[in-house]
Amino acid sequence: MDHRPPIRVLIGVGLVAGCALAQQVLLTRMFSAVLFYHFTFLAISLALLGTGAGGIAIYLWPRFFDRWPLERSLAGWSALFAALLIVTPTLLVRLNYSYNNSITLHFVLNFGLACVLALLPFLSAGVVITLAIRAYTSSIGRLYAFDLAGAGIGALAIVPVMWIVTAATGMVALGALAGVAALLFAGSAVLSRKIAVGVTAGGCAVVGISATTGLNSLASPYFPNVRPAAVEWSPLNRVLGYAPATADAFGYLFYDRVYAPVPQYHRGQPYPSYQQLLTSSQSVGLTMAPNTRALVIGGGGGRDIFDALSSGVRRVDVIELNSAIRDVVDRGLGASSGSPYSLPGVHTVIGDGRAILSAQSTKYDKIHIGFTDTLSGSSADAFALSENNLYTIEAFEEYYDHLAPSGMLDVTRAYHLVGDEALRITVLTLQALGQRGIAHPENNVVVILGHDQFGGVPGTVLSQLRPFSPAQLTQISTLAAQRGDSIAFAPGGPYSKEWVGLHQAASPQAFCSSYRLDVCAPTDDKPFFFNMKRLTDIAQPMPKGYSYTIDPFLLLGATVGILFLLTLLAFGLPLGLTRGKDRPPQSSLLYFAAIGLGFLTLEITLIQRFVLFLGFPTYALSVVLFSLLIFTGVGALLSSRWRRPRRALPVALTAISVLIALSAYLLQPLLRHLISLPFSVRVLVTIALLAPLGVLLGTAMPIGLRRLSALHPAGVAWAWGINGVTSVLGSALAVFVAIVWGFAAAAILALVCYLVALADAAFGRWPPDDRTALADQAAADGQSKLPVGSGAAASTPAS
């Protein structure tokens, strides 16, 4: 079949692609709500795995998929896609994701089952899109336009939807939308129309049930049998609010698996004191003069706000990343919390702390960061592409830029939790001050160890741009003694615990390089503050005395292992069973392995680069994928017009390599310079920056497939499989490289991959010019035998 597809089929393909891409974003949100983790790379891998496996299956077993007329097949597989989207969330929320600080076989099996369940809808979507492209190859341009446009729209449109419904309910709603696609595909086929209408109606009914009952509710990891007083979902977090159990107890705020205590307060009463708030060391800096104006980054449950007010601060500015947190505390728990975000003298702004700071010139007497990411120092946060950007040298430079001449930066982390957090903050503070040209930064830093309601030991690091005066040091010592705290590091002493070694070291860098954990200062390029294991210590357990965490590399290893097994089942096993089908030489497949690994490594790197710029992982994931999908599609279409691909491809790959090399070291400084722009402008800047790279990236796969089909006509499925394997595993590899060496190194890995592809394109075997022309003409005339046609399909999770 090579006639033009009807408009209803084109729209149906766009709907399926959009639903598949939106499912990917929702999976990221759902997994992060229960696993301490923004599973960006996992969702991308599952999408690639499912859609790629659909292409392989159709290529290898065409008779199975050709038993029914095309439109009946499209309608049937779309109906299956819709049904899986409706049913899967109910199964996912009922799995047990607990791991009790260790990876057990029970966790791995449950997590593996979750991956399989999440994979099935992608598989059926891949079959739908592959069937359509195979049937309408002569109209590949129009079909890809709808496919990529639908995927791009899905990437962006799902973000506002997540402000309205939960991730699970949103996935069910996608099922109803996929049912509409099945109805479009069905045409005049009565039975197919009835099935499509039934699935769509069922999806709408389940959406209503899910939105009004607990059918698809995720249980709290801490209070699974207690009904929360308030629940809010957003693209950033799932936020739960629990009312206090007694008159003198704290309420609790959970955002994903991170939590913060919510103090009780009733308007008209005195603000709760540090004794009531249990913020001994945290309140010392706020108490010291001057304290006319303070900034609190991350209001959490409101405890830091009350701490500032009860310490005498006249005006408290609060930057809260997620409006759902403010709403739950001020509204859902307002009867017991006193609505701290809207108290007199408190001015709250919603947004990313660094973006908001960079856009203003206000100078503060105090900048207070008290356990922002409260108790979120989990292993997963070593990989989470979110708040870690608060604890980097570049972030501290921003804070110091907004301090008044006598102002003070006040940062609290745990003494021991996932690692030596307070010690790492100390090293970070010293190095940030040193980079500002302060010759003896140790004279500008004081560390206080305190106590909290959980029996833990918070470490508060006070720093300022001028050395602490004798009067200030005396006041700090007095306040610490009164509140039962101890001084761990101060100009002239005393020094205690691990800070003794820091004081005796030649420099902070010399100290952290030889310390038992990696407590060196994080940077925006390597922002994993909560990961303190070195590559050389992967096989070693964390030292005793740390809690609330599991080994980050073990979690990553378990995830990669699951992905590897699924990849073998989806690609390796089917291809392995068909070895007799003219397997091409390994050298001809190197190109596809290189661009598969290179593209996904670059994609993960770009998502992280834009997390800080756009404010949160979900925004970065959606906008970056939207940009790459749209413009790789444009590149794929443009490449079909090239009459001399043998000359054009090396030029395109050279340009790609140059842009990747520039992005490795120049993109982050550029984005930091532009971060003060309004959010809508930042989105447009992101799209504009990614457009040229996306167009060039979109040329690599289609030209490579046409070249291979001319040399080895039966080997395209192998290329598809090799590209799929490296793409699926490449996303996890990118995260590993970034954790160990930084995101610039991950970009360099992508550069090396594209250089390998460039060498193959420039010096590898090409068919004679007449055969290349024939292959191009065959693709244009609908005679191509590619499993999924040409284009960016193997390089993007939507195709």
Side-chain angles (χ1 to χ4, degrees):
M1 178 185 298
D2 62 351
H3 57 79
R4 292 165 62 89
I7 187 64
R8 57 183 175 81
V9 170
L10 294 173
I11 296 174
V13 168
L15 283 176
V16 170
C19 290
L21 204 291
Q23 180 202 357
Q24 176 182 321
V25 179
L26 289 174
L27 276 177
T28 300
R29 177 87 296 281
M30 183 180 293
F31 280 139
S32 67
V34 291
L35 288 169
F36 274 128
Y37 188 66
H38 294 280
F39 268 91
T40 300
F41 86 87
L42 176 60
I44 291 174
S45 293
L46 291 174
L48 283 164
L49 184 61
T51 53
I56 286 290
I58 290 176
Y59 182 81
L60 296 179
W61 300 292
R63 293 183 180 179
F64 175 81
F65 295 94
D66 292 338
R67 289 183 296 175
W68 301 281
L70 173 66
E71 292 188 357
R72 281 183 58 190
S73 292
L74 291 174
W77 284 99
S78 294
L80 178 60
F81 176 45
L84 289 170
L85 285 173
I86 294 168
V87 173
T88 298
T90 305
L91 301 176
L92 286 174
V93 300
R94 281 162 173 75
L95 295 178
N96 183 0
Y97 298 97
S98 61
Y99 41 76
N100 297 323
N101 298 338
S102 63
I103 296 291
T104 63
L105 179 61
H106 179 267
F107 169 78
V108 171
L109 292 176
N110 272 276
F111 188 30
L113 179 58
C115 291
V116 171
L117 291 173
L119 174 68
L120 293 177
F122 290 123
L123 178 62
S124 55
V127 170
V128 171
I129 295 173
T130 302
L131 286 172
I133 291 176
R134 187 184 64 162
Y136 298 110
T137 310
S138 61
S139 299
I140 190 67
R142 297 183 70 206
L143 198 62
Y144 261 118
F146 277 83
D147 172 33
L148 294 173
I153 292 170
L156 286 184
I158 196 60
V159 174
V161 171
M162 287 191 285
W163 286 105
I164 303 171
V165 299
T166 69
T169 302
M171 198 176 298
V172 176
L174 291 178
L177 192 60
V180 174
L183 185 60
L184 290 171
F185 288 134
S188 59
V190 176
L191 179 60
S192 296
R193 288 177 63 86
K194 288 182 178 180
I195 293 174
V197 169
V199 172
T200 303
C204 292
V206 177
V207 167
I209 296 171
S210 179
T212 56
T213 69
L215 175 67
N216 288 327
S217 296
L218 280 167
S220 166
Y222 295 102
F223 305 133
N225 300 317
V226 179
R227 185 179 181 85
V231 180
E232 293 279 349
W233 279 80
S234 76
L236 312 185
N237 301 102
R238 176 187 65 160
V239 183
L240 306 176
Y242 290 89
T246 62
D248 58 349
F250 286 98
Y252 283 95
L253 175 77
F254 287 83
Y255 34 109
D256 291 340
R257 288 194 66 163
V258 180
Y259 66 92
V262 182
Q264 291 195 59
Y265 174 70
H266 299 283
R267 296 288 180 104
Q269 295 181 349
Y271 295 123
S273 65
Y274 75 88
Q275 294 100 325
Q276 295 168 300
L277 296 169
L278 301 176
T279 55
S280 57
S281 64
Q282 299 176 58
S283 60
V284 170
L286 292 168
T287 304
M288 299 177 64
N291 55 5
T292 301
R293 187 169 188 173
L295 171 66
V296 173
I297 298 180
R303 191 163 65 155
D304 292 339
I305 300 173
F306 287 120
D307 211 355
L309 292 171
S310 63
S311 298
V313 178
R314 298 177 188 176
R315 173 176 173 137
V316 181
D317 292 347
V318 182
I319 301 177
E320 180 57 65
L321 182 66
N322 188 357
S323 62
I325 292 177
R326 177 198 58 190
D327 293 343
V328 167
V329 173
D330 269 18
R331 299 174 189 173
L333 300 178
S336 59
S337 71
S339 303
Y341 285 96
S342 53
L343 286 169
V346 177
H347 304 267
T348 302
V349 178
I350 302 299
D352 175 73
R354 289 178 61 179
I356 291 174
L357 270 181
S358 65
Q360 65 184 33
S361 57
T362 308
K363 301 291 185 179
Y364 292 98
D365 299 316
K366 302 289 189 308
I367 295 180
H368 181 84
I369 308 176
F371 274 114
T372 301
D373 279 327
T374 305
L375 298 178
S376 68
S378 64
S379 63
D381 276 318
F383 312 141
L385 311 182
S386 59
E387 294 279 4
N388 293 348
N389 284 303
L390 287 176
Y391 304 115
T392 66
I393 286 181
E394 293 86 348
F396 273 49
E397 290 176 354
E398 193 74 60
Y399 307 149
Y400 290 131
D401 286 341
H402 288 81
L403 282 181
S406 57
M408 182 183 297
L409 177 61
D410 177 352
V411 183
T412 298
R413 295 300 316 175
Y415 167 46
H416 278 168
L417 195 59
V418 303
D420 292 344
E421 295 181 34
L423 182 62
R424 193 169 202 182
I425 288 291
T426 310
V427 173
L428 170 58
T429 302
L430 291 170
Q431 291 194 229
L433 289 171
Q435 289 198 10
R436 295 184 72 88
I438 296 175
H440 297 284
E442 66 275 9
N443 293 330
N444 301 49
V445 178
V446 174
V447 180
I448 310 169
L449 298 181
H451 50 276
D452 63 21
Q453 75 272 33
F454 303 109
V457 179
T460 297
V461 182
L462 306 178
S463 61
Q464 52 189 33
L465 295 175
R466 60 179 60 170
F468 280 96
S469 67
Q472 285 180 306
L473 294 174
T474 298
Q475 185 182 9
I476 291 173
S477 297
T478 301
L479 289 171
Q482 290 174 351
R483 301 178 185 197
D485 302 334
S486 62
I487 306 295
F489 185 94
Y495 306 102
S496 65
K497 302 184 182 297
E498 291 81 358
W499 285 267
V500 174
L502 178 59
H503 166 65
Q504 294 173 344
S507 68
Q509 184 63 42
F511 168 78
C512 70
S513 297
S514 59
Y515 191 66
R516 58 195 173 92
L517 295 176
D518 182 7
V519 293
C520 292
T523 64
D524 282 352
D525 182 60
K526 190 179 176 183
F528 304 101
F529 174 82
F530 298 106
N531 176 47
M532 300 187 198
K533 288 195 73 173
R534 296 185 175 92
L535 180 61
T536 53
D537 299 326
I538 284 183
Q540 301 298 322
M542 284 291 286
K544 292 183 178 180
Y546 301 97
S547 60
Y548 205 73
T549 184
I550 56 175
D551 189 321
F553 290 107
L554 187 59
L555 177 60
L556 182 61
T559 306
V560 172
I562 292 171
L563 287 174
F564 182 72
L565 179 60
L566 293 176
T567 301
L568 287 179
L569 294 175
F571 295 108
L573 182 61
L575 291 174
L577 294 175
T578 57
R579 288 188 178 181
K581 290 194 173 184
D582 300 326
R583 176 179 178 177
Q586 294 181 358
S587 58
S588 65
L589 300 177
L590 178 62
Y591 174 87
F592 298 96
I595 64 172
L597 179 60
F599 186 94
L600 262 294
T601 302
L602 180 61
E603 183 175 83
I604 294 296
T605 303
L606 290 173
I607 289 172
Q608 168 60 22
R609 290 300 196 198
F610 285 94
V611 164
L612 174 60
F613 187 61
L614 295 175
F616 207 78
T618 307
Y619 295 155
L621 175 65
S622 297
V623 176
V624 170
L625 287 184
F626 168 81
S627 304
L628 292 179
L629 284 168
I630 294 297
F631 291 107
T632 52
V634 172
L637 292 177
L638 291 176
S639 70
S640 64
R641 300 174 181 268
W642 292 353
R643 293 302 179 186
R644 296 182 178 272
R646 186 168 187 169
R647 295 182 181 179
L649 183 58
V651 173
L653 291 171
T654 300
I656 290 171
S657 300
V658 171
L659 289 179
I660 294 175
L662 292 175
S663 72
Y665 298 103
L666 298 182
L667 181 60
Q668 195 68 31
L670 174 63
L671 296 181
R672 285 183 61 197
H673 181 71
L674 300 175
I675 197 174
S676 60
L677 295 171
F679 177 74
S680 58
V681 179
R682 281 181 276 151
V683 171
L684 294 177
V685 168
T686 301
I687 295 172
L689 288 174
L690 293 177
L693 181 61
V695 170
L696 291 168
L697 289 169
T699 65
M701 188 67 178
I703 294 178
L705 283 176
R706 290 198 296 269
R707 168 193 172 194
L708 181 68
S709 65
L711 290 171
H712 307 282
V716 174
W718 286 93
W720 190 259
I722 292 296
N723 183 267
V725 170
T726 54
S727 297
V728 170
L729 299 180
S731 59
L733 177 61
V735 173
F736 176 82
V737 171
I739 292 172
V740 178
W741 293 289
F743 281 99
I748 295 302
L749 174 61
L751 171 61
V752 171
C753 291
Y754 276 98
L755 289 176
V756 170
L758 172 60
D760 183 76
F763 305 109
R765 183 185 173 196
W766 280 78
D769 289 341
D770 56 340
R771 290 189 61 193
T772 305
L774 288 173
D776 286 343
Q777 187 63 42
D781 294 341
Q783 300 171 11
S784 173
K785 302 301 183 181
L786 307 187
V788 191
S790 62
S795 299
T796 59
S799 299

